Amino acid sequence: MIETLKQPWTWYVAGALIGLTVPYLLLVGNKTFGISSSLRHLCAACIPGNVKFFKYDWKKESWNLFFVGGIAIGAFLAANFLSNPDPIVLAESTQQYLATKGITDTSSLLPAQIFSWDQLFTVRGLIFFVIGGFMVGFGTRYAGGCTSGHAIMGLSSLQWPSLVATMSFMIGGMLMTWFILPHLLTL
Amino acid sequence: MAHSFQHTPTPQEIADLQTRELDSICVNESELVHPWWYNLKYSAWGVLFGIVFFKAEIISWFRIQEMFRFESFHMYGVIGTAVVVGMISVQLIKRFKLRTIYGEEIHIPNKEFNKGQIFGGLLFGLGWAVTGACPGPLFAQVGAGYSVIIVTFLSAWLGTYIYGVFRDKLPH
Protein backbone atom coordinates (compact mmCIF):
# COMPACT_ATOMS: atom_id res chain seq x y z
CA MET A 1 0.00 0.00 0.00
CA ILE A 2 2.68 2.48 1.08
CA GLU A 3 4.82 1.37 -1.85
CA THR A 4 1.95 2.15 -4.24
CA LEU A 5 1.39 5.55 -2.63
CA LYS A 6 5.09 6.34 -3.05
CA GLN A 7 4.85 6.01 -6.81
CA PRO A 8 3.85 9.17 -8.69
CA TRP A 9 0.05 9.48 -8.69
CA THR A 10 -1.82 9.26 -11.98
CA TRP A 11 -3.43 12.30 -13.53
CA TYR A 12 -7.04 11.19 -13.10
CA VAL A 13 -6.62 10.47 -9.37
CA ALA A 14 -4.99 13.85 -8.80
CA GLY A 15 -7.46 15.64 -11.07
CA ALA A 16 -10.49 14.11 -9.37
CA LEU A 17 -9.24 15.00 -5.87
CA ILE A 18 -8.45 18.56 -6.95
CA GLY A 19 -11.86 18.85 -8.63
CA LEU A 20 -13.59 17.68 -5.44
CA THR A 21 -12.14 20.73 -3.69
CA VAL A 22 -14.87 22.76 -5.42
CA PRO A 23 -17.88 21.01 -3.81
CA TYR A 24 -16.01 20.46 -0.52
CA LEU A 25 -15.44 24.18 0.00
CA LEU A 26 -18.96 25.05 -1.10
CA LEU A 27 -20.58 22.44 1.11
CA VAL A 28 -18.60 23.02 4.29
CA GLY A 29 -18.72 26.79 4.25
CA ASN A 30 -19.99 28.44 1.06
CA LYS A 31 -16.45 29.19 -0.03
CA THR A 32 -15.36 29.54 -3.64
CA PHE A 33 -12.09 27.83 -4.45
CA GLY A 34 -9.19 30.19 -5.12
CA ILE A 35 -5.62 30.18 -3.89
CA SER A 36 -4.02 33.40 -5.10
CA SER A 37 -6.40 35.44 -2.90
CA SER A 38 -4.33 34.20 0.03
CA LEU A 39 -1.55 36.55 -1.09
CA ARG A 40 -4.00 39.44 -0.96
CA HIS A 41 -5.20 38.46 2.50
CA LEU A 42 -1.58 38.33 3.66
CA CYS A 43 -1.14 41.88 2.37
CA ALA A 44 -4.32 42.99 4.13
CA ALA A 45 -3.25 41.27 7.34
CA CYS A 46 0.40 42.34 7.44
CA ILE A 47 0.99 45.44 5.30
CA PRO A 48 -2.37 47.12 4.51
CA GLY A 49 -0.79 50.62 4.52
CA ASN A 50 -3.15 53.15 3.03
CA VAL A 51 -4.17 50.97 0.10
CA LYS A 52 -7.92 50.67 -0.48
CA PHE A 53 -7.48 47.27 -2.12
CA PHE A 54 -6.17 45.85 1.15
CA LYS A 55 -8.63 47.53 3.50
CA TYR A 56 -11.21 44.91 4.24
CA ASP A 57 -11.91 42.51 7.01
CA TRP A 58 -9.33 39.86 6.08
CA LYS A 59 -10.26 37.83 9.16
CA LYS A 60 -13.50 36.90 7.40
CA GLU A 61 -11.34 35.37 4.67
CA SER A 62 -8.91 33.67 7.00
CA TRP A 63 -10.24 30.24 5.98
CA ASN A 64 -8.14 30.74 2.84
CA LEU A 65 -4.98 31.10 4.93
CA PHE A 66 -5.84 27.95 6.88
CA PHE A 67 -6.27 26.20 3.54
CA VAL A 68 -2.87 27.24 2.11
CA GLY A 69 -1.23 26.45 5.45
CA GLY A 70 -2.64 22.95 5.03
CA ILE A 71 -1.15 22.75 1.54
CA ALA A 72 2.33 23.44 2.90
CA ILE A 73 1.87 20.84 5.67
CA GLY A 74 0.55 18.25 3.20
CA ALA A 75 3.52 18.77 0.89
CA PHE A 76 5.86 18.47 3.89
CA LEU A 77 4.26 15.15 4.87
CA ALA A 78 4.37 13.80 1.33
CA ALA A 79 7.99 14.86 0.83
CA ASN A 80 9.08 13.22 4.05
CA PHE A 81 6.97 10.07 4.16
CA LEU A 82 5.67 9.34 0.66
CA SER A 83 8.55 10.52 -1.48
CA ASN A 84 9.45 8.63 -4.63
CA PRO A 85 13.19 7.78 -4.51
CA ASP A 86 13.57 7.57 -8.30
CA PRO A 87 14.32 10.53 -10.59
CA ILE A 88 11.31 12.18 -12.21
CA VAL A 89 10.23 10.48 -15.45
CA LEU A 90 10.15 13.17 -18.11
CA ALA A 91 9.09 13.09 -21.73
CA GLU A 92 12.18 12.15 -23.72
CA SER A 93 11.93 15.26 -25.89
CA THR A 94 11.66 17.60 -22.89
CA GLN A 95 14.64 15.95 -21.26
CA GLN A 96 16.77 16.23 -24.41
CA TYR A 97 15.79 19.85 -24.92
CA LEU A 98 16.59 20.82 -21.34
CA ALA A 99 19.93 19.00 -21.57
CA THR A 100 20.91 21.22 -24.50
CA LYS A 101 20.29 24.14 -22.13
CA GLY A 102 22.44 22.61 -19.42
CA ILE A 103 19.55 21.40 -17.23
CA THR A 104 20.54 17.78 -16.68
CA ASP A 105 19.72 17.15 -13.02
CA THR A 106 16.28 15.49 -12.87
CA SER A 107 16.77 13.85 -9.48
CA SER A 108 14.29 16.21 -7.82
CA LEU A 109 10.96 17.82 -8.72
CA LEU A 110 12.72 21.15 -9.25
CA PRO A 111 16.02 21.43 -11.15
CA ALA A 112 18.72 22.02 -8.55
CA GLN A 113 20.73 23.81 -11.24
CA ILE A 114 18.23 26.67 -11.08
CA PHE A 115 16.34 26.48 -7.80
CA SER A 116 19.01 26.47 -5.11
CA TRP A 117 20.37 29.07 -2.72
CA ASP A 118 23.70 29.40 -4.51
CA GLN A 119 21.82 30.70 -7.56
CA LEU A 120 20.06 33.43 -5.58
CA PHE A 121 22.48 36.29 -6.19
CA THR A 122 23.01 35.54 -9.88
CA VAL A 123 21.20 36.82 -12.98
CA ARG A 124 19.46 33.45 -13.06
CA GLY A 125 18.24 33.88 -9.48
CA LEU A 126 17.00 37.39 -10.20
CA ILE A 127 14.95 36.13 -13.16
CA PHE A 128 13.69 32.80 -11.84
CA PHE A 129 12.91 33.79 -8.25
CA VAL A 130 12.48 37.54 -8.02
CA ILE A 131 11.03 38.57 -11.39
CA GLY A 132 9.22 35.26 -11.91
CA GLY A 133 7.60 35.42 -8.49
CA PHE A 134 6.65 39.05 -8.99
CA MET A 135 4.88 38.25 -12.27
CA VAL A 136 2.97 35.42 -10.57
CA GLY A 137 1.82 37.63 -7.68
CA PHE A 138 1.05 40.73 -9.74
CA GLY A 139 -0.46 38.82 -12.67
CA THR A 140 -2.79 36.59 -10.68
CA ARG A 141 -4.23 39.50 -8.74
CA TYR A 142 -4.57 41.63 -11.87
CA ALA A 143 -6.37 38.70 -13.52
CA GLY A 144 -8.50 38.23 -10.40
CA GLY A 145 -7.42 34.63 -9.88
CA CYS A 146 -5.03 31.87 -10.80
CA THR A 147 -5.27 28.31 -12.02
CA SER A 148 -7.52 27.36 -9.11
CA GLY A 149 -9.83 30.38 -9.09
CA HIS A 150 -10.23 30.78 -12.83
CA ALA A 151 -9.25 27.52 -14.55
CA ILE A 152 -10.87 25.18 -12.03
CA MET A 153 -13.51 27.09 -10.04
CA GLY A 154 -14.40 29.52 -12.83
CA LEU A 155 -14.65 26.94 -15.60
CA SER A 156 -16.51 24.54 -13.29
CA SER A 157 -19.19 27.15 -12.78
CA LEU A 158 -19.25 27.99 -16.52
CA GLN A 159 -18.02 31.59 -16.28
CA TRP A 160 -16.74 32.86 -19.60
CA PRO A 161 -14.42 35.53 -18.11
CA SER A 162 -12.56 32.64 -16.50
CA LEU A 163 -12.15 31.01 -19.90
CA VAL A 164 -10.61 34.25 -21.17
CA ALA A 165 -8.28 34.32 -18.17
CA THR A 166 -7.31 30.65 -18.57
CA MET A 167 -6.53 31.14 -22.26
CA SER A 168 -4.42 34.17 -21.35
CA PHE A 169 -2.48 32.09 -18.79
CA MET A 170 -1.75 29.47 -21.44
CA ILE A 171 -0.74 32.00 -24.10
CA GLY A 172 1.57 33.79 -21.64
CA GLY A 173 3.11 30.48 -20.62
CA MET A 174 3.70 29.39 -24.20
CA LEU A 175 5.22 32.74 -25.17
CA MET A 176 7.64 32.39 -22.29
CA THR A 177 8.43 28.72 -22.90
CA TRP A 178 8.90 28.94 -26.65
CA PHE A 179 10.39 32.38 -27.21
CA ILE A 180 11.91 33.80 -24.02
CA LEU A 181 12.94 30.91 -21.77
CA PRO A 182 15.37 29.42 -24.34
CA HIS A 183 17.46 32.57 -23.90
CA LEU A 184 16.99 32.82 -20.14
CA LEU A 185 18.07 29.23 -19.48
CA THR A 186 21.53 29.83 -20.86
CA LEU A 187 22.18 33.03 -18.89
CA MET B 1 -25.77 25.48 16.22
CA ALA B 2 -24.64 26.78 19.58
CA HIS B 3 -21.58 28.54 18.19
CA SER B 4 -23.18 30.41 15.33
CA PHE B 5 -25.74 33.11 14.79
CA GLN B 6 -27.11 35.08 11.89
CA HIS B 7 -25.11 38.24 11.54
CA THR B 8 -26.46 41.57 10.24
CA PRO B 9 -23.77 43.36 8.24
CA THR B 10 -22.72 46.84 9.41
CA PRO B 11 -22.20 49.66 6.85
CA GLN B 12 -18.43 49.13 7.16
CA GLU B 13 -18.84 45.46 6.35
CA ILE B 14 -21.00 46.26 3.34
CA ALA B 15 -18.34 48.71 2.11
CA ASP B 16 -15.76 45.97 2.66
CA LEU B 17 -17.81 43.55 0.66
CA GLN B 18 -18.17 45.98 -2.21
CA THR B 19 -14.42 46.52 -2.34
CA ARG B 20 -13.86 42.79 -2.32
CA GLU B 21 -16.45 42.23 -5.00
CA LEU B 22 -14.14 44.08 -7.38
CA ASP B 23 -12.65 40.67 -7.73
CA SER B 24 -15.27 38.21 -6.85
CA ILE B 25 -12.87 35.42 -6.00
CA CYS B 26 -12.35 37.10 -2.66
CA VAL B 27 -15.95 37.25 -1.60
CA ASN B 28 -16.92 35.19 1.35
CA GLU B 29 -20.65 34.66 1.14
CA SER B 30 -21.13 32.98 4.47
CA GLU B 31 -23.04 35.05 6.99
CA LEU B 32 -22.16 32.77 9.86
CA VAL B 33 -19.63 33.68 12.50
CA HIS B 34 -17.69 30.77 13.91
CA PRO B 35 -14.79 30.33 16.31
CA TRP B 36 -11.38 30.11 14.59
CA TRP B 37 -10.99 26.37 14.89
CA TYR B 38 -13.89 25.83 12.52
CA ASN B 39 -11.30 26.81 9.90
CA LEU B 40 -9.38 23.61 10.56
CA LYS B 41 -11.69 21.82 8.15
CA TYR B 42 -10.10 23.92 5.42
CA SER B 43 -6.64 23.04 6.69
CA ALA B 44 -7.56 19.36 6.61
CA TRP B 45 -8.51 19.55 2.95
CA GLY B 46 -5.41 21.68 2.33
CA VAL B 47 -3.25 18.86 3.72
CA LEU B 48 -4.81 16.38 1.29
CA PHE B 49 -4.40 18.93 -1.47
CA GLY B 50 -0.71 19.43 -0.65
CA ILE B 51 -0.11 15.67 -0.72
CA VAL B 52 -1.79 15.44 -4.14
CA PHE B 53 0.27 18.38 -5.43
CA PHE B 54 3.46 16.65 -4.39
CA LYS B 55 2.57 13.10 -5.38
CA ALA B 56 1.18 13.95 -8.82
CA GLU B 57 4.28 16.12 -9.35
CA ILE B 58 2.12 19.16 -10.06
CA ILE B 59 4.63 21.28 -8.13
CA SER B 60 7.41 20.18 -10.48
CA TRP B 61 8.99 22.81 -12.71
CA PHE B 62 9.72 19.99 -15.17
CA ARG B 63 6.03 19.05 -15.52
CA ILE B 64 5.14 22.67 -16.31
CA GLN B 65 7.83 22.75 -19.01
CA GLU B 66 6.41 19.55 -20.50
CA MET B 67 2.94 21.04 -20.44
CA PHE B 68 3.83 24.28 -22.24
CA ARG B 69 5.95 22.34 -24.74
CA PHE B 70 2.99 19.96 -25.44
CA GLU B 71 5.23 16.99 -24.73
CA SER B 72 3.17 15.35 -22.03
CA PHE B 73 -0.52 14.86 -21.35
CA HIS B 74 -0.10 14.72 -17.57
CA MET B 75 -0.92 18.32 -16.58
CA TYR B 76 -3.72 18.60 -19.13
CA GLY B 77 -5.16 15.40 -17.70
CA VAL B 78 -4.98 16.75 -14.15
CA ILE B 79 -6.54 20.12 -14.91
CA GLY B 80 -9.09 18.65 -17.34
CA THR B 81 -10.26 16.02 -14.84
CA ALA B 82 -10.45 18.63 -12.09
CA VAL B 83 -12.63 20.88 -14.26
CA VAL B 84 -14.96 18.02 -15.25
CA VAL B 85 -15.34 16.84 -11.64
CA GLY B 86 -15.86 20.43 -10.47
CA MET B 87 -18.41 21.08 -13.20
CA ILE B 88 -20.46 17.97 -12.41
CA SER B 89 -20.35 18.85 -8.70
CA VAL B 90 -21.56 22.41 -9.29
CA GLN B 91 -24.38 21.13 -11.51
CA LEU B 92 -25.45 18.61 -8.84
CA ILE B 93 -25.35 21.30 -6.13
CA LYS B 94 -27.51 23.57 -8.27
CA ARG B 95 -29.90 20.84 -9.46
CA PHE B 96 -30.59 19.51 -5.97
CA LYS B 97 -30.35 22.96 -4.34
CA LEU B 98 -27.91 21.52 -1.83
CA ARG B 99 -27.14 23.57 1.25
CA THR B 100 -23.98 23.87 3.31
CA ILE B 101 -23.52 21.65 6.34
CA TYR B 102 -24.77 24.64 8.37
CA GLY B 103 -27.94 24.89 6.31
CA GLU B 104 -27.03 28.00 4.32
CA GLU B 105 -27.99 28.37 0.68
CA ILE B 106 -24.98 27.87 -1.58
CA HIS B 107 -24.13 30.88 -3.67
CA ILE B 108 -21.48 31.09 -6.40
CA PRO B 109 -20.67 34.71 -7.29
CA ASN B 110 -20.44 35.63 -10.97
CA LYS B 111 -17.13 36.82 -12.29
CA GLU B 112 -17.38 40.05 -14.23
CA PHE B 113 -15.22 40.44 -17.29
CA ASN B 114 -12.50 43.07 -17.21
CA LYS B 115 -9.34 43.56 -19.27
CA GLY B 116 -7.27 42.54 -16.26
CA GLN B 117 -8.16 38.96 -17.03
CA ILE B 118 -6.22 39.33 -20.29
CA PHE B 119 -3.31 41.56 -19.21
CA GLY B 120 -2.92 39.99 -15.80
CA GLY B 121 -3.52 36.54 -17.24
CA LEU B 122 -0.71 36.94 -19.79
CA LEU B 123 1.62 38.26 -17.11
CA PHE B 124 0.82 35.37 -14.79
CA GLY B 125 1.36 32.91 -17.67
CA LEU B 126 4.82 34.36 -18.30
CA GLY B 127 5.65 34.00 -14.62
CA TRP B 128 4.16 30.50 -14.40
CA ALA B 129 6.46 29.19 -17.12
CA VAL B 130 9.53 30.75 -15.47
CA THR B 131 8.89 29.70 -11.87
CA GLY B 132 7.09 26.47 -12.76
CA ALA B 133 4.57 27.34 -10.07
CA CYS B 134 1.21 28.97 -9.66
CA PRO B 135 0.41 30.29 -6.18
CA GLY B 136 -0.77 26.92 -4.76
CA PRO B 137 2.41 25.05 -5.70
CA LEU B 138 4.49 27.88 -4.22
CA PHE B 139 3.15 26.99 -0.78
CA ALA B 140 3.66 23.29 -1.51
CA GLN B 141 7.23 23.73 -2.75
CA VAL B 142 8.20 25.60 0.40
CA GLY B 143 6.47 22.95 2.52
CA ALA B 144 8.23 20.16 0.64
CA GLY B 145 11.56 21.64 1.66
CA TYR B 146 12.62 23.69 -1.37
CA SER B 147 13.54 26.50 0.96
CA VAL B 148 14.81 28.93 -1.68
CA ILE B 149 11.24 29.18 -3.01
CA ILE B 150 10.60 31.40 0.02
CA VAL B 151 12.24 34.11 -2.10
CA THR B 152 9.82 33.44 -4.99
CA PHE B 153 6.94 33.48 -2.53
CA LEU B 154 8.01 36.81 -0.99
CA SER B 155 8.36 38.21 -4.47
CA ALA B 156 4.85 37.05 -5.40
CA TRP B 157 3.56 38.65 -2.21
CA LEU B 158 5.29 41.91 -3.17
CA GLY B 159 3.81 41.62 -6.67
CA THR B 160 0.31 41.37 -5.20
CA TYR B 161 1.02 44.37 -2.99
CA ILE B 162 2.34 46.52 -5.86
CA TYR B 163 -0.74 45.59 -7.87
CA GLY B 164 -2.93 46.81 -5.01
CA VAL B 165 -1.05 50.10 -4.87
CA PHE B 166 -1.34 50.80 -8.61
CA ARG B 167 -4.69 49.15 -9.20
CA ASP B 168 -6.54 52.39 -9.94
CA LYS B 169 -4.00 53.41 -12.59
CA LEU B 170 -4.14 50.13 -14.51
CA PRO B 171 -6.57 49.41 -17.36
CA HIS B 172 -9.40 47.12 -16.28
Side-chain angles (χ1 to χ4, degrees):
Chain A
M1 179 69 187
I2 285 289
E3 284 314 307
T4 315
L5 286 177
K6 281 188 173 180
Q7 292 303 308
W9 294 6
T10 348
W11 53 270
Y12 48 86
V13 175
L17 286 168
I18 293 173
L20 286 175
T21 309
V22 171
Y24 180 86
L25 295 177
L26 286 171
L27 290 170
V28 305
N30 233 343
K31 311 294 189 223
T32 48
F33 182 34
I35 293 179
S36 60
S37 313
S38 62
L39 292 168
R40 183 182 183 188
H41 305 327
L42 285 174
C43 288
C46 304
I47 40 172
N50 202 18
V51 183
K52 196 177 79 201
F53 190 61
F54 299 123
K55 288 196 163 170
Y56 58 92
D57 184 7
W58 62 272
K59 285 188 185 138
K60 281 185 78 175
E61 314 293 344
S62 57
W63 71 272
N64 200 283
L65 302 175
F66 280 84
F67 182 65
V68 295
I71 293 178
I73 295 170
F76 171 84
L77 294 175
N80 286 282
F81 302 108
L82 293 174
S83 191
N84 174 17
D86 305 321
I88 183 166
V89 180
L90 277 180
E92 194 104 340
S93 46
T94 309
Q95 192 150 11
Q96 280 168 4
Y97 163 75
L98 289 174
T100 66
K101 298 290 174 188
I103 308 298
T104 47
D105 182 354
T106 53
S107 59
S108 181
L109 291 178
L110 275 65
Q113 287 150 325
I114 300 174
F115 296 97
S116 56
W117 284 102
D118 55 15
Q119 296 290 328
L120 183 55
F121 296 105
T122 63
V123 178
R124 205 176 239 191
L126 179 73
I127 293 167
F128 281 85
F129 309 143
V130 180
I131 299 176
F134 188 91
M135 289 196 290
V136 169
F138 191 101
T140 50
R141 202 71 272 118
Y142 195 0
C146 60
T147 331
S148 54
H150 276 311
I152 296 175
M153 184 68 212
L155 294 185
S156 290
S157 50
L158 309 175
Q159 317 230 20
W160 70 268
S162 290
L163 185 61
V164 174
T166 305
M167 281 165 28
S168 305
F169 302 162
M170 295 308 293
I171 292 169
M174 286 175 220
L175 287 176
M176 177 55 79
T177 305
W178 288 92
F179 300 109
I180 310 175
L181 211 53
H183 305 289
L184 298 183
L185 282 170
T186 47
L187 283 178
Chain B
M1 217 55 57
H3 294 289
S4 60
F5 53 90
Q6 285 293 325
H7 174 78
T8 317
T10 64
Q12 177 59 47
E13 282 171 340
I14 291 168
D16 270 354
L17 187 71
Q18 282 164 348
T19 312
R20 285 181 292 134
E21 266 172 353
L22 289 171
D23 74 335
S24 58
I25 276 168
C26 270
V27 177
N28 171 3
E29 289 297 326
S30 178
E31 299 279 305
L32 300 173
V33 178
H34 285 150
W36 70 269
W37 49 266
Y38 272 56
N39 283 322
L40 292 178
K41 55 186 181 289
Y42 304 108
S43 305
W45 193 270
V47 169
L48 176 69
F49 204 87
I51 294 173
V52 172
F53 264 3
F54 185 89
K55 286 312 304 174
E57 298 175 340
I58 294 159
I59 67 168
S60 171
W61 183 86
F62 292 112
R63 291 268 170 260
I64 304 302
Q65 297 304 310
E66 277 183 340
M67 171 179 79
F68 284 130
R69 295 175 59 78
F70 302 110
E71 290 172 338
S72 161
F73 174 73
H74 184 79
M75 286 302 301
Y76 294 102
V78 169
I79 298 175
T81 312
V83 171
V84 170
V85 169
M87 211 177 268
I88 294 170
S89 310
V90 169
Q91 288 308 316
L92 289 175
I93 285 173
K94 283 186 175 165
R95 177 77 52 88
F96 294 104
K97 295 195 170 56
L98 294 183
R99 287 173 171 260
T100 70
I101 54 173
Y102 303 111
E104 278 191 306
E105 242 176 80
I106 288 177
H107 176 76
I108 300 171
N110 278 322
K111 295 190 210 303
E112 298 290 326
F113 174 75
N114 70 66
K115 292 186 220 103
Q117 282 141 8
I118 297 172
F119 301 138
L122 287 172
L123 197 62
F124 164 52
L126 294 170
W128 189 10
V130 172
T131 61
C134 23
L138 280 183
F139 290 98
Q141 289 174 348
V142 173
Y146 298 99
S147 54
V148 74
I149 304 301
I150 290 172
V151 179
T152 316
F153 170 77
L154 290 175
S155 207
W157 188 3
L158 179 73
T160 301
Y161 187 77
I162 299 295
Y163 168 72
V165 172
F166 292 103
R167 179 185 179 115
D168 295 342
K169 299 190 175 65
L170 295 166
H172 277 88

